[in-house]
Amino acid sequence: MDGEHPEWLPVDWKVCVRVRVSGKKDKYYVNPSNDRKFNSKPEVLRYLQNAEKDLKLRKLNKVDTEKGVAERLPSGWIKETRITRKGGKTRRNLCYIDPVDGRHFSSLQEVKRYLETKNSGKAECNEDDSDHPSEELGDHCISPTAGAEGFKLIDEKVDETPSGNVKSGAAVENINPPETDASGQIRKEDDSKAEDQQQEKKRKKHSKWMNGLPRRSSKRLARVEADPPLEVKSCSRAAGARLSDKAGFDTKEAIEKSKLSGKTEVIITSENFDKQEKASTSSPLGDLSSAEDHECASADLKEDEKNDKNINSSLNNLFMDPCIEFAIKTLTGAIPLQDVNKILDGPVASPAQASTSSSVPPSSDIWADPCFEFAVKTLTSEIPMEDDGSHFQISFKQPLSSSGATGCNTTVK
DNA sequence: ACTTTCGGCTT
DNA sequence: AAGCCGAAAGT
């Protein structure tokens, strides 16, 4: 409350000076009409500037409240706009009032939540609404009090926004005179609406996602797919290998292993072979990978998994061809010629194999393959070699190990 | 939610 | 030093 009265300040206004503890002086201005204080001249001026236009409406009220129908909300809901002014600045806060219990909500989101909760609590939403998947799922049901029907925020927004008279009056910053207030309100509403819309949209989306079991299910499915695929793949591969390889399956595995593990391969492979013969159709790799493999019921699956883990895709592809597999295996010595002969003879002479391995397809297919037959014949008859086929091993092994097996060897070693 | 106070920047 | 503004604190 202090002396001089600036020219720019209305006569009835008061000028006060506040001295801070620090000694700093702050001059503030008091509006007698509402005892409102302004820390600076600009604030006062702004206020006055607005006040001139706005004064009529404001007059007594610090806070103006404009009530209207919340079109977006179920009928009965009240949309209240509270206009607060500080200094020259005007604030407009939207507020939604529940006609039933008079609860106030600062945003449509809150209202939505409230309605949703209320709705969910009271009664489950009729699935009738489900027709509109994209729409506000819970919203419809939500409005216990008023018709939830009209609760389409988006539509309303669209409608309302255009109606807004966005007059140029807004030029004065936030402070909007009465007229501008309207526009300002509209603006705010629009903004809030826009936000709400976005949020709602987001929510809707989320709700869709969330609500829609399908999404969850899809997620799950996706997960399921993702998880199982591994196993399935392995199994399927194994199956595929069986189907395609049949006779060559053993060789395939042995070969792969041999490539991978190098020296050890041979030993392993031999073991595998024995086992294979014993087990007839069981895969040798299973033994090799036995330590790792316990997942799949069948040894084949185990083998496949191992393959997946250890073998490069390229190698896999290469060995997919049973002919190549068999040939390589035979050449490398993974398969003793005796075994080869057995195998060769097997289909013809020993029906036991076929019988024992019900799951394993008939070896006839393999023999049907000219490649396979050619390879076998070539290896067995045309090329002179000793029973053990040591020559072959030596001659072919080196190149193989050097070239194709390098990566594997390194890994193994 | 609103008001008051304080710190800091600009003039 | 005064003025102004925004943030923080208080009610």
Side-chain angles (χ1 to χ4, degrees):
Chain A
M1 312 288 284
D2 165 313
E4 300 181 2
H5 192 94
E7 296 178 355
W8 56 266
L9 188 68
V11 177
D12 53 347
W13 284 56
K14 296 178 181 177
V15 179
C16 300
V17 177
R18 179 190 302 119
V19 180
R20 298 186 188 183
V21 176
S22 62
K24 187 176 181 178
K25 296 178 182 178
D26 289 329
K27 190 183 290 185
Y28 63 94
Y29 309 91
V30 179
N31 181 350
S33 63
N34 55 13
D35 288 340
R36 191 163 184 74
K37 296 175 182 178
F38 302 84
N39 291 328
S40 65
K41 175 183 174 182
E43 286 186 1
V44 174
L45 294 178
R46 280 182 233 150
Y47 174 81
L48 292 175
Q49 194 171 355
N50 294 331
E52 291 177 357
K53 299 176 182 177
D54 200 5
L55 186 62
K56 294 178 182 178
L57 295 178
R58 296 181 181 179
K59 291 184 178 177
L60 303 176
N61 296 337
K62 259 186 174 182
V63 177
D64 296 339
T65 59
E66 298 179 357
K67 292 183 180 180
V69 177
E71 297 176 355
R72 296 180 186 177
L73 299 174
S75 62
W77 278 78
I78 300 169
K79 181 175 70 177
E80 182 181 87
T81 303
R82 299 186 66 186
I83 304 170
T84 59
R85 297 177 183 79
K86 180 181 181 181
K89 298 178 182 178
T90 302
R91 276 193 176 185
R92 294 179 183 77
N93 297 326
L94 278 179
C95 173
Y96 299 92
I97 302 171
D98 184 349
V100 176
D101 55 15
R103 289 185 63 173
H104 288 62
F105 301 89
S106 59
S107 68
L108 283 174
Q109 292 183 0
E110 291 182 0
V111 174
K112 267 196 161 188
R113 293 176 189 170
Y114 172 71
L115 290 177
E116 287 179 358
T117 56
K118 205 171 181 180
N119 183 20
S120 63
K122 281 191 175 182
E124 297 177 357
C125 297
N126 297 341
E127 296 179 354
D128 298 349
D129 296 347
S130 64
D131 295 349
H132 313 282
S134 63
E135 297 296 332
E136 51 299 337
L137 295 176
D139 297 349
H140 287 294
C141 318
I142 299 166
S143 64
T145 59
E149 301 169 355
F151 198 29
K152 295 179 181 178
L153 300 176
I154 296 174
D155 295 347
E156 289 187 356
K157 287 181 181 178
V158 175
D159 294 345
E160 290 182 0
T161 40
S163 67
N165 310 332
V166 183
K167 295 178 181 178
S168 61
V172 186
E173 296 181 331
N174 297 339
I175 322 155
N176 297 331
E179 294 178 356
T180 55
D181 285 355
S183 64
Q185 287 183 354
I186 292 167
R187 275 191 179 182
K188 256 205 169 179
E189 291 179 357
D190 294 347
D191 294 350
S192 64
K193 286 180 181 178
E195 291 179 356
D196 293 348
Q197 283 184 351
Q198 290 178 351
Q199 292 177 349
E200 287 180 3
K201 285 182 180 179
K202 289 180 180 178
R203 284 186 179 182
K204 285 183 178 180
K205 288 181 181 179
H206 288 295
S207 65
K208 289 180 183 178
W209 295 99
M210 297 300 290
N211 294 340
L213 290 178
R215 204 195 180 185
R216 275 192 181 178
S217 62
S218 65
K219 280 185 176 180
R220 286 185 182 179
L221 290 176
R223 288 183 181 178
V224 171
E225 288 178 358
D227 293 345
L230 296 176
E231 295 178 358
V232 172
K233 277 186 177 180
S234 63
C235 295
S236 64
R237 273 194 179 183
R242 287 183 184 178
L243 294 176
S244 63
D245 297 349
K246 294 184 179 179
F249 58 88
D250 296 347
T251 57
K252 181 179 180 178
E253 294 172 353
I255 293 166
E256 291 177 356
K257 268 205 167 180
S258 64
K259 284 189 174 182
L260 294 175
S261 61
K263 292 180 181 178
T264 56
E265 315 166 349
V266 175
I267 297 170
I268 295 169
T269 54
S270 65
E271 292 178 355
N272 292 338
F273 245 90
D274 295 343
K275 289 183 179 179
Q276 286 180 357
E277 290 180 353
K278 290 179 181 177
S280 70
T281 57
S282 66
S283 64
L285 289 180
D287 297 343
L288 297 175
S289 62
S290 62
E292 296 177 353
D293 304 342
H294 295 288
E295 298 175 353
C296 294
S298 66
D300 293 350
L301 297 179
K302 294 178 180 179
E303 294 177 357
D304 292 341
E305 289 180 354
K306 235 193 174 178
N307 294 338
D308 293 343
K309 293 177 180 177
N310 298 335
I311 299 171
N312 297 339
S313 61
S314 61
L315 290 177
N316 285 333
N317 293 336
L318 178 63
F319 290 105
M320 286 303 290
D321 186 345
C323 298
I324 295 172
E325 291 178 357
F326 185 84
I328 293 172
K329 192 174 183 181
T330 304
L331 293 174
T332 55
I335 301 174
L337 288 177
Q338 292 179 351
D339 293 340
V340 172
N341 292 336
K342 285 183 180 180
I343 296 171
L344 294 175
D345 295 345
V348 178
S350 64
Q353 287 184 347
S355 65
T356 53
S357 61
S358 60
S359 63
V360 176
S363 61
S364 60
D365 294 346
I366 297 171
W367 293 103
D369 186 346
C371 297
F372 181 84
E373 187 177 4
F374 177 80
V376 172
K377 286 183 178 181
T378 304
L379 294 172
T380 57
S381 62
E382 292 188 1
I383 299 173
M385 47 170 126
E386 297 177 1
D387 293 348
D388 60 352
S390 60
H391 294 294
F392 256 96
Q393 284 184 344
I394 295 168
S395 62
F396 285 94
K397 234 187 178 179
Q398 288 176 349
L400 280 175
S401 63
S402 62
S403 63
T406 52
C408 297
N409 289 342
T410 54
T411 56
V412 171
K413 292 177 181 178

